[in-house]
Amino acid sequence: MRFFSWLFRAAIFFVLFAFALNNQHEARIRWFFGFEFRAPMVLMVLVVFAAGALFGVLAMMPNWWRQRRRSRASTEPQTPVTTTTAAVPAQSGVTPVLPDVPLGVPPRDGL
């Protein structure tokens, strides 16, 4: 299995290497006010890919932090919560309705 893994990695490397060799020509990016940036095409593609990956990581950070806070809160010891019911006469035939969520547990974030 290791052989196939290394073979796959080598194939990916050679495909990317061939892409880099085929895109060595100079490309221009024209900005505002006549400013122009010139660089090899493969370098521009690499920079745009890295910027996209960075943007994706930054966009996911609030969700990661929220999940991390929730997992820490769930591992902390909690005090036992008791629910009380109102005294209902036995002859009325009405069963008391308990809340779905125990008292003292904060609501979820709408997820």
Side-chain angles (χ1 to χ4, degrees), residues 3 9 23 28 41 46 57 59-60 64-65 69 73 83 86 93 107:
F3 174 74
R9 290 177 186 173
N23 291 300
R28 292 187 289 183
M41 176 66 82
L46 179 64
V57 167
M60 287 295 298
W64 288 338
W65 288 339
R69 248 182 303 156
T83 58

Side-chain angles (χ1 to χ4, degrees), residues 2-73:
R2 276 188 167 177
F3 174 74
F4 291 117
S5 174
W6 279 105
L7 187 65
F8 180 71
R9 290 177 186 173
I12 294 290
F13 172 77
F14 285 117
V15 166
L16 293 176
F17 187 70
F19 175 77
L21 287 178
N22 287 330
N23 291 300
Q24 286 185 352
H25 61 280
E26 187 178 276
R28 292 187 289 183
I29 296 179
R30 294 182 182 156
W31 297 93
F32 299 109
F33 309 113
F35 181 70
E36 187 175 283
F37 178 73
R38 294 178 186 210
M41 176 66 82
V42 70
L43 180 65
M44 288 188 186
V45 170
L46 179 64
V47 167
V48 169
F49 174 76
L54 180 67
F55 179 75
V57 167
L58 291 177
M60 287 295 298
M61 281 187 123
N63 193 22
W64 288 338
W65 288 339
R66 188 179 312 118
Q67 293 294 333
R68 189 172 177 186
R69 248 182 303 156
R70 283 185 186 168
S71 68
R72 281 187 181 169

